[in-house]
Amino acid sequence: MTIFGFRFNMTIKENILRLKAGLPEEVELVAVSKTCSAESILQAYQAGQRIFGESRPQEMRAKYGELPKDIRWHMIGHLQTNKVKYIAPFVNLIHSVDSAKLFEAIDIHAVKNARTIDVLLEVCIAEEETKHGWQEDHLIAWLDTGIYREATGVRIRGLMGIATNTDDREKTREEFSGLARLYLWLKEEYFGPDFDTLSMGMTSDYNIAVECGANMVRIGSMIFGERNYGKQ
Ligand SMILES: *Cc1c(COP(=O)(O)O)cnc(C)c1O
C-alpha cells in the first residue's frame, strides 16, 4: 500500500510538471483535487502547484484546515446557498455562480467576513439539461437589472463553462468558441479590465478550450488519476 502510494504520488508531480510545460504561460492551471487525499494534494504542491479546485464545500473546508495556507482554493462545483458559509472565510475564486440567489448569498457572507470574493458566472453551454449554469438570455437580463453593481462583497471576474461530454471535437469547439465570444462581449459592454478570467476545459477537452481562448483550465484526472467516488 505504501509502496504503491509512493509510486502513485511520484506520478502526480510528473503529471503537473508535464502539464504545465505544455500550457501557454497565460493559462492558469486549477488542479481539481475533489475526492483526493491531502497527501496527493501535497505532492502537487511540492511540484509548485498552488491553485486547487474542489466541488464540495465541507470537503474543501477540511482540506483548507490541514494544508498549507498559501494554497488558493477554487470552488468549481454546484454550490447551494446554505453552504456558502463553509467557504466564505477563505475561498479564492468561486467558478460556479449560476443564479442571482447564489450571487446574493455570496455577497452577504463576504461582507460578514469583511472580504471581497471573486466569482465567475457559470454559463450553460452543453446540450445536457442536467448541467448547471445561466442560459445566456437570462444572464443578460439579470446583468441589465444592474443589481450586481451594488454588491460590495463580490467581484465578477469572468465566465466558466462545461462543454457537452462528447467525442465530437467540432461540437466541443463550437461550444467553447461561443462562450469565448460571450466573454469578450460582456467584458466590452458590461465589465472592463477586472473581467479577465475565462475558465473552460478539463482533462478531455482542455486543448480545445485553450485554442478557443481559455485562460484558466480545470484538470483533475490527468493529474491525480481516475477518481474513486466510492470511498468518500
Ligand atoms: C471534476 C471537474 C473537473 C475536472 O475533471 P477531469 O475530467 O478530472 O479533468 C473540471 N471542472 C469541473 C466543474 C468539475 O466538476
Side-chain angles (χ1 to χ4, degrees), residues 32 34 76 162 202-203 218-221 227:
V32 175
K34 59 191 184 196
I76 62 168
I162 304 172
M202 19 210 267
T203 294
R218 310 174 308 269
I219 299 182
S221 38
R227 277 180 293 276

Side-chain angles (χ1 to χ4, degrees), residues 13-191:
K13 256 186 175 173
E14 284 164 17
N15 291 345
I16 290 271
L17 296 177
R18 196 166 347 104
L19 194 47
K20 278 199 160 162
L23 284 175
E25 213 180 323
E26 70 277 10
V27 177
E28 199 98 66
L29 171 63
V30 178
V32 175
S33 51
K34 59 191 184 196
T35 77
C36 295
S37 66
E39 297 93 278
S40 298
I41 294 174
L42 269 180
Q43 288 294 319
Y45 181 88
Q46 279 155 12
Q49 182 64 27
R50 290 294 179 273
I51 305 179
F52 292 90
E54 291 283 334
S55 59
R56 290 165 190 242
Q58 286 103 320
E59 183 179 341
M60 184 196 252
R61 185 178 62 170
K63 287 172 173 172
Y64 164 76
E66 60 178 308
L67 285 159
K69 287 296 170 283
D70 62 339
I71 286 180
R72 303 201 289 280
W73 293 100
H74 287 200
M75 174 50 59
I76 62 168
H78 179 64
L79 181 58
Q80 289 171 298
T81 53
N82 63 349
K83 301 210 167 147
V84 173
K85 59 175 184 279
Y86 296 124
I87 61 169
F90 66 90
V91 69
N92 181 256
L93 181 68
I94 299 176
H95 292 229
S96 45
V97 174
D98 57 0
S99 71
K101 194 170 145 233
L102 178 58
F103 179 90
E104 284 156 24
I106 295 168
D107 188 35
I108 289 168
H109 285 281
V111 170
K112 264 191 202 159
N113 284 277
R115 301 187 68 211
T116 301
I117 297 180
D118 283 341
V119 304
L120 306 179
L121 302 170
E122 180 175 353
V123 178
C124 182
I125 55 172
E127 66 189 13
E128 295 108 292
E129 282 164 18
T130 51
K131 294 261 159 81
H132 295 286
W134 295 87
Q135 296 297 327
E136 195 173 313
D137 51 344
H138 291 172
L139 173 60
I140 291 167
W142 178 66
L143 292 175
D144 284 337
T145 66
I147 292 169
Y148 71 94
R149 291 206 189 87
E150 280 146 40
T152 53
V154 193
R155 190 163 57 149
I156 300 177
R157 297 298 302 269
L159 300 182
M160 185 271 250
I162 304 172
T164 303
N165 187 3
T166 173
D167 291 333
D168 181 348
R169 298 180 72 78
E170 276 320 302
K171 181 166 180 54
T172 306
R173 190 177 297 279
E174 266 169 39
E175 291 175 355
F176 284 151
S177 308
L179 188 63
R181 272 194 303 275
L182 178 65
Y183 165 74
L184 292 173
W185 183 74
L186 292 178
K187 183 179 175 71
E188 182 82 20
E189 297 291 322
Y190 291 81
F191 293 101

